[in-house]
Amino acid sequence: QVQLVESGGGLVQAGGSLRLSCAASGRTISNYAMGWFRQAPGKERESVAAISWSGGLTYYADSVKGRFTISRDNAKNSVTLQMNSLKPEDAAVYYCAAAGGITPIRNLRPDYWGQGTQVTVSS
């Protein structure tokens, strides 16, 4: 089992930045592709960014490309999402997720989920 705990959410003005962190425990995540998803009220959960187990491949949704950066530190068993130039439409609950096996990071199918952290962007 992998336990994932997100932190770093909060309230920020449009144009501002937030850094989300995901701390994993239970198992090393070095064998897992990792991703960040988000869900806004009334909308389906969507993939925001993902990173391969080695960190060599990344994926970003078109809506965040150029503004968000995903990274991982396998030694620290953690994943980070740096979010810049935030927009009101980025407001959502953000979830960290881990996917084992062979999985395309563009279509990550997580085995484990965190409980989420709220991001609010004021206009």
Side-chain angles (χ1 to χ4, degrees), residues 8-33:
L11 172 64
V12 64
Q13 286 190 330
S17 299
L18 281 176
R19 186 178 180 88
L20 304 184
S21 296
C22 174
S25 61
R27 282 184 185 175
T28 175
I29 61 168
S30 58
N31 297 325
Y32 291 83

Side-chain angles (χ1 to χ4, degrees), residues 15-93:
S17 299
L18 281 176
R19 186 178 180 88
L20 304 184
S21 296
C22 174
S25 61
R27 282 184 185 175
T28 175
I29 61 168
S30 58
N31 297 325
Y32 291 83
M34 302 295 295
W36 287 94
F37 292 71
R38 68 185 181 189
Q39 187 168 21
K43 295 188 177 181
E44 291 188 356
R45 189 174 298 190
E46 62 174 347
S47 176
V48 174
I51 188 166
S52 62
W53 65 270
S54 68
L57 294 174
T58 56
Y59 160 79
Y60 295 97
D62 287 344
S63 58
V64 307
K65 205 170 290 184
R67 300 187 297 122
F68 291 12
T69 302
I70 188 171
S71 61
R72 66 187 298 158
D73 186 336
N74 287 341
K76 294 184 178 179
N77 231 28
S78 64
V79 180
T80 298
L81 184 68
Q82 178 67 43
M83 306 187 295
N84 298 328
S85 303
L86 283 160
K87 304 176 180 180
E89 52 264 42
D90 293 319
V93 177

